[in-house]
Amino acid sequence: MSSYTIRNYTPADEKSWLRCRVLGFLDTAYYDSVERVKPPVSAPGFELVATDEDGTVVGVLDVSVDGELATIETVAVHPDRRRRGLGRALLAEATARAAATPATTLDAWTRDDPDTLTWYRAMGFAESDHYLHVYANFYTDNTEPKRAIAERRPDLSPMVLFLHAKLAEEEQLRKEFARVHVCRRFAMPL
């Protein structure tokens, strides 16, 4: 581990941070959790990176602090740098920093990846709460999305929806939603 440095994140790290996070999440249940800009963490929270000898970000750990609760918002290690103690070293630094805040608990929410669950348990975390992330995907089963929105279900809260609409609705939909893209088909004769 001597060739790695753990330090505070700086804005100059953003591109490398984003790449590390995407690659670190790619083989996990968060494979589709892609960010185009780094989500900010407000003080007294903090943002840590592990960098290699070239200054490339190879590990990230962001912690938010809200009163007595510190929450790991992001933790990822580049797949080519795993199993070298980077995650453990980032967590040790984060734990020390969190202890210097009003927080009395450090928590993290994650999905059901066996390796991730094993890591959290090995680091001393214990499971304390659960809820479901449910994805209704047309390409898995073309009836899933319609079942998900067919009627209001108080126990099912939409967080992100990816929808198809007719081009004739573009003007209205752009007024209603921040992100609307025109999906274009390209073809060429053979």
Side-chain angles (χ1 to χ4, degrees), residues 109 139 146 167:
W109 288 93
Y139 298 105
K146 288 184 176 153
L167 193 57

Side-chain angles (χ1 to χ4, degrees), residues 17 20 48-51 56-61 76-78 81 86 90:
W17 186 99
C20 180
L48 300 173
V49 294
T51 58
T56 302
V57 174
V58 294
V60 302
L61 198 151
V77 174
H78 189 287
R81 307 301 175 96
L86 284 172
L90 283 162

